[in-house]
Every structure is written in C-alpha cells, then in structure tokens.
Amino acid sequence: MDFVFWLLAAITVGGALAAVTLRNLVHCALALTVAFGGLALLFLNLDAQFAGFAQILVYIGAVAILVVFAILLTRSSETPKDGGVFSRTWFTGLVIAAGVFAVLGGALLRSQAGLPHDAPAPAVTVQQIGTALMGRYVLPLEIIALLLTAALIGAVIVARHEKEGTE
Amino acid sequence: MATPLVGYLLVAALLFAIGLAGALTRRNAILVLIGIELMLNAANLNLIAFWRYGPHPEALTGMMFAIFSIAVAAAEAAVGLGLVIAVHRHAQTTDLDQINRMKG
C-alpha cells in the first residue's frame, strides 16, 4: 500500500475513465494507451516482469495501434452531429456497471480477512517461464499459436474488400 | 489498513466496472471493443495479483494464465476490429444505435 501503487492505480483508472468518456475517439485511443501503460507498470510493481513487458509489447505496441487504425479507417474520429456519443440506453448500462462494481467491491471488502497478507517477492526468472512454457504448458502454447494463426487469417478474410462481381 | 492484495483487487474491480460501463453506454462499436479490452485487462490484473500473493508463486500458474489471456485478447482485438471495419463498409456507420438489422 505504498505511494507508487496509488500513483499507478490513479494513472490506470484515470486513463480508463478518460478512454470511455471522451468524445473524440482519437483521444479515447490515447487515453486507452495510458491505461494500458499504467497496467503494465502495475504488473512490474507486482514483480511480474515478463507479463509487464508482454503487456507493453502486445497492448501498447499492437492493440492500441490496431484501434487507431480502425478509428481512422471508419472515420469515427468525427463526433456525431446528432446528439451525444452515448447510446439511448446509457442510463441502464451505467446502473448495471455500478451494480457490478458494488457487488465486486462489497465481496472483496467483506472477505479481506481470508485473503493472503504480504508475501515475499517470488524469485521467478524468465528462464523458468520459458522452461514451463516448453514443458508443462506446451499444449496450451501450441493451441495459442493455432488460435493466433486462425485469428490472423480470419481477420484478413472478414475485413477484406470484395469487389462486385468477382465471385 | 487494507493488505496490498485487496488494493490491487479493488483497482481491478473498478477497471472492470469502467470497461463494462464503456461497453454498455457508448454508441460507437470501437468504443465497445475498447471497453471489452479494459475488462480483459482487469481480469489479467486479478490473475497477476493472486499469483504474486498466493501460496505457490513458483508454480507460475497465475502468470501463465495471464500470458495466455493476453494472447487471446490480442486475437480477439484483431478479429473484432476487422468485423467493425467490415460492418462499416456495409452499413456506412459504426453507430450501434443505427445498426439494428442482422440481414442486409
């Protein structure tokens, strides 16, 4: 519960809030990148170096760029002229989200005593992670490779522009 | 004062609620995807926090779960944004209040 944790938590939550409330979608993408960066720093603060750097590479390096590309390709950066950026049923959505947070937070605060307390930092090296990925977790790794290949091909097929009469 | 784990879990719960609110209240399909990404990230933060403060961090279970989850989220983002682009080409809009037909 130190100062660094609260600073990173504030950056992450502030970025996430800005990402879902700002009107201009390019600003939203930038705020989303800030939130991803804050999360990566939280991972590093949790002594999960590999996950933190994977988060930076995958989310800031790939997903944020992909979101920016999608925003520019669909010209969504222009704010809609008719009314706001929120849906007609925004109030219901807000109530549902607040209810979910109330349930999660209430359950957390009530089960505080059962949760583990401060633990010494685990001494886990990247070499151990690699050994585990090649040993015990080799089947999930292969499945992830297959999934990523399928997603790559699927995304290209879905987004491909089919000209009239080329069937 | 709360233990560190509770702080991380509270931040993750707040992040999940923010992502859910974004996915449910915004009109633009890309913003809905951003909300879903935030929710996935909140789950990852939970996994890493429990890995760090759990009884057997050297078993790497939570860490592996989070890494695989990051990979699945990347695939989901690619396909989701590809779908948004395809829908935009077809309907000329990404406004979810206007896209209300499955056919045509």
Side-chain angles (χ1 to χ4, degrees):
Chain A
M1 282 303 157
D2 50 357
F3 173 70
V4 176
F5 166 73
W6 289 115
L7 185 69
L8 295 179
I11 290 174
T12 310
V13 171
L17 265 179
V20 297
T21 50
L22 288 179
R23 287 180 66 83
N24 190 323
L25 252 76
V26 178
H27 297 171
C28 291
L30 285 175
L32 182 74
T33 314
V34 171
F36 285 160
L39 263 165
L41 293 176
L42 277 175
F43 287 179
L44 293 182
N45 203 28
L46 278 167
D47 302 303
Q49 283 87 2
F50 187 75
F53 288 118
Q55 169 91 2
I56 290 176
L57 283 177
V58 172
Y59 277 99
I60 301 177
V63 173
I65 302 295
L66 214 60
V67 167
V68 171
F69 264 104
I71 289 170
L72 296 181
L73 279 175
T74 58
R75 291 188 216 92
S76 319
S77 54
E78 301 151 16
T79 340
K81 289 156 199 75
D82 53 328
V85 289
F86 291 103
S87 126
R88 278 193 296 271
T89 53
W90 65 273
F91 187 72
T92 322
L94 205 62
V95 168
I96 291 173
V100 166
F101 178 64
V103 169
L104 287 177
L108 252 177
L109 292 180
R110 222 170 302 160
S111 61
Q112 262 190 71
L115 291 171
H117 286 267
D118 212 351
V124 169
T125 60
V126 178
Q127 188 187 358
Q128 275 172 287
I129 295 173
T131 313
L133 273 177
M134 282 296 124
R136 190 176 165 204
Y137 297 100
V138 70
L139 191 63
L141 186 74
E142 296 294 328
I143 294 172
I144 282 287
L146 199 64
L147 173 79
L148 284 174
T149 313
L152 184 73
I153 298 169
V156 169
I157 289 175
V158 163
R160 190 180 54 180
H161 187 54
E162 283 196 17
K163 295 209 169 54
E164 299 291 325
T166 50
E167 287 297 307
Chain B
M1 193 53 214
T3 57
L5 177 58
V6 173
Y8 283 104
L9 296 185
L10 271 179
V11 169
L14 190 56
L15 214 56
F16 186 89
I18 291 171
L20 186 62
L24 289 179
T25 60
R26 290 297 290 241
R27 272 169 62 179
N28 195 298
I30 296 172
L31 245 300
V32 174
L33 272 173
I34 286 180
I36 292 170
E37 289 296 326
L38 282 175
M39 287 194 275
L40 281 165
N41 270 295
N44 282 348
L45 183 57
N46 260 2
L47 293 171
I48 296 280
F50 273 116
W51 165 78
R52 167 69 175 77
Y53 292 105
H56 297 294
E58 71 281 353
L60 284 172
T61 321
M63 173 82 108
M64 286 300 160
F65 210 122
I67 290 169
F68 287 128
S69 162
I70 288 174
V72 172
E76 174 262 334
V79 176
L81 291 171
L83 277 173
V84 170
I85 290 172
V87 167
H88 175 264
R89 185 175 299 131
H90 191 77
Q92 299 302 321
T93 179
T94 51
D95 188 339
L96 293 174
D97 281 354
Q98 286 173 33
I99 305 168
N100 46 19
R101 285 179 306 169
M102 288 290 278
K103 190 173 175 221

